[in-house]
Amino acid sequence: MFRNRMPRYEILSEQSMAVLDSGWRRLVSEIGIEFMSDRALDLFREAGQQIEGNNVKFDPDWVLAQVAKAPREFDVQARNPANSVHIGGDSMVFSGVYGPPFVREGEVRRDASMEDFRNFTKLAQSFTALDSAGGVICEPNDAPLDSRHLDMTYALATLTDKMFMGNVVSGTNARDVIAMTEIIFGGRAAIEATPATISLINCNSPLRWDDRMLDAQFEYSAANQPVVITPFLLMGAMSPVSIPATLAQQMAEALTGIALSQLIRPGCPVIFGSFLSNIDMQSGSPQFGTPESATGLLCTGQIARHFGLPVRSGGGLTSSQVPDAQAAYEGLMTMLPTFLAGINWVMHTAGWLDGGLVSSYEKFVIDVQILEVLQKEFTPIEFTEESLAFGAHLEVGHGGHFLGAEHTMERFRTCFYRPFLSSSDNYDRWMRQGAKDAAARAGDVYRKKLADYVQPPMDEAVRAELEEFVDRRRKELGD
Amino acid sequence: MFRNRMPRYEILSEQSMAVLDSGWRRLVSEIGIEFMSDRALDLFREAGQQIEGNNVKFDPDWVLAQVAKAPREFDVQARNPANSVHIGGDSMVFSGVYGPPFVREGEVRRDASMEDFRNFTKLAQSFTALDSAGGVICEPNDAPLDSRHLDMTYALATLTDKMFMGNVVSGTNARDVIAMTEIIFGGRAAIEATPATISLINCNSPLRWDDRMLDAQFEYSAANQPVVITPFLLMGAMSPVSIPATLAQQMAEALTGIALSQLIRPGCPVIFGSFLSNIDMQSGSPQFGTPESATGLLCTGQIARHFGLPVRSGGGLTSSQVPDAQAAYEGLMTMLPTFLAGINWVMHTAGWLDGGLVSSYEKFVIDVQILEVLQKEFTPIEFTEESLAFGAHLEVGHGGHFLGAEHTMERFRTCFYRPFLSSSDNYDRWMRQGAKDAAARAGDVYRKKLADYVQPPMDEAVRAELEEFVDRRRKELGD
């Protein structure tokens, strides 16, 4: 797990933050937030908030009092303790793309399958820079709909020994995931003591939380499993065409969702979520890697710290249809601010293509390459007398070179980060090696990774119990 | 010209800066810097520095006293006053790639020609985000060697009305460029009052300044034309495999070069230059867009401010052989820190490919796209009560959309940056439009830009005088 010990890049003045604070307070108190769940409305009513139909008008100070109950930092355990992670503070935890119904492999774009799901999960296991495959690394369209969450959770839990995300399609699915997690980690008490999943709860922005997501949130929060309370904001569609307005809306939605989690179980872990970009105002298409989204991201990190909450944002987002130059610069246009903002939980780190509709094998590899460079770049170096290497200068003198200097010989294996994908071959050598661009080389990398993949060991009794659970539940669900 | 009013991202502590300060002081005083120029040695001797052969051992405080004579900020005039620039402070001035002997156009890589030079110069004129074509936007191999600088300067001066760089191959070439600049801007007094060129003086690192570059520096500094005093540092070859050591060396080389300029003409404008990356320690190839180079860049901005000097660094650098994903992420891996560091004079902004050996038409367009996004991203937004768009929320309510809201309607044309190259078309539309990746679309863009190019007007008498000068000098040079 990476710790970002570099400075945060903060662009909001105190005055700007005060404007945003006044904004979310006015939204939650004057317009209110809709919760399409009677259980949620009952909790808010009991807590003295003003209910009108499904709409809740909040006392902002009461909201902040609930938010203050959430932990600033917490651990999430993985099956392999070496892969357990810490959420909050200076930690940054990276997971794969989440949600695409399609995959791209070379020139082929097609429906994602369970086989693809397993492949991407194996790739996530294979790259140490990634902390998790995530959850819906692609949508396995050939698996039966009602029991698909069982297959996905089983794959995540057995093909990786990293932490994995929980299914949020329904409360029932959430209960199944929790039950499987209990089997793996030794019972309810064990996962309540140290959570073992993170789940993504999206807002139906603007200003509405829907019933299915809330049902899942009730299950996960009750089991002390962290939820990422995420306003889903494409400016121009789900929020106004103004970054400040969108940030205030994001605060209103996230903070009220977090307040609910603290009513379900005071002190349960939450993450302040952000998914914020904009649409193309001529076509209506979502755009990613935009300057507006980067600005929103930088502000979001600062806002979450303002409330003392861990924060989710970022990822290798792009609108590009193929793993080309656009895919790379749009992805990095989001990932570099992700590091500058010190985002704690990063979804969509690897594999995102085509506005999130496609999980791309090649883009997955390109994104991990970018991630490794950034992890190196955001590792502080030491400025000491010894680091000045005065002796090397004495040895080399004027107009010489340092290739054979003693200082170099002692350090050449580890002094610089060495990329696994980027090529600095000279032109002739690059031509001799097939003149492959980065996407073609990325194809070679993922095929080799899959060929070399070794499944991490698992206690056979646990595996048998998991399989029994999956079989039983699949029958009960009628698949 | 862009002004970067966002915060600087500074990663050097006071203590780290003190270590670097001790480092360059020790280098210049104990090892010394070689100057392969009797004129330079004479000036340093007269000023009381210690000369041993070509080596000069400096009193660091004397160096700083010279550096303090250089202006913190200055203007450089362009033929079209609207394109004049300011160097220093929060201004960022962007010029094209500099130096490649080859060009790439689609699948073809070949020797660069004068026709290519003119084409790239026209492209630089066509994109408003660029402030200058630069100087050697590619090396026109088919133009006669001795008089090539005349053709290049004539092209830069007539095909653009932006500022241009001076030739530094020799003192003779520098005098010719200055003479042409005098013709264009109305005489020596006019260009001494407000400089009209910037020239790149590279160090033969480590710790040596060569005679040809110094000859050019003598001419430009005497004419009050700014020089970019640039250590050329590929860590592992020209400097130790240590970022602090390399930064201290960069300070030693740059500050002594700047001290020379202040002996030539006290108060003449200079730019603290940096070209800093590393080699691949296995192959010896230069690498670009590396984490080490980004760290060096961020430190360099802070170091130049520490000395009160304008700073040059950055650019769309990449080792990639083609305008692919690697070219984009490596380029942005340098360009985003360029903005974070508030670099004032940015060379290699557009067109750099293949370790700087190739000027790429497609990469030029991709780089300008990246530049436009960054210029937008680094423009602060206002956080005001009005920006919260509360009325839009009242209009749209819960679960609606903002597409048709009055707030949106009033702003949709200008609310978001609209890219000219990036595609957010949905997959079907993208397929119908030819399934072109970013590089292919970049090809369409530059061909259209060249087809639409209109030469900026120039006074016919000035043009005639320029041509007469070029013809005369070409004959004198024997071409």
Side-chain angles (χ1 to χ4, degrees), chain A residues 206 242 326 387 399 417 422 441, chain B residues 206 242 292 326 329 387 399 417 441:
Chain A
S242 152
Q326 180 187 337
S387 71
Y417 169 73
S422 311
R441 295 194 305 272
Chain B
S242 153
E292 294 81 8
Q326 179 187 337
Y329 68 67
S387 72
Y417 169 72
R441 295 194 304 273

Side-chain angles (χ1 to χ4, degrees), chain A residues 167-168 175 235 272 332 341 371 391 433 479:
Chain A
N167 191 285
V168 292
R175 280 192 297 278
M235 292 185 275
F272 184 102
L332 184 52
L371 176 63
Q433 296 198 330
D479 278 339

Side-chain angles (χ1 to χ4, degrees), chain A residues 2-9 90 339-342 374-381, chain B residues 9-12 294-295 298-299:
Chain A
F2 180 72
R3 287 190 178 272
N4 182 346
R5 301 191 199 276
M6 294 281 272
R8 302 292 168 266
Y9 186 63
D90 62 8
F339 277 75
L340 289 170
L374 290 173
Q375 289 185 347
K376 176 76 181 179
E377 185 174 328
F378 281 79
T379 300
I381 52 169
Chain B
Y9 185 63
E10 304 209 319
I11 64 176
L12 284 175
T295 300
L298 292 171
C299 294

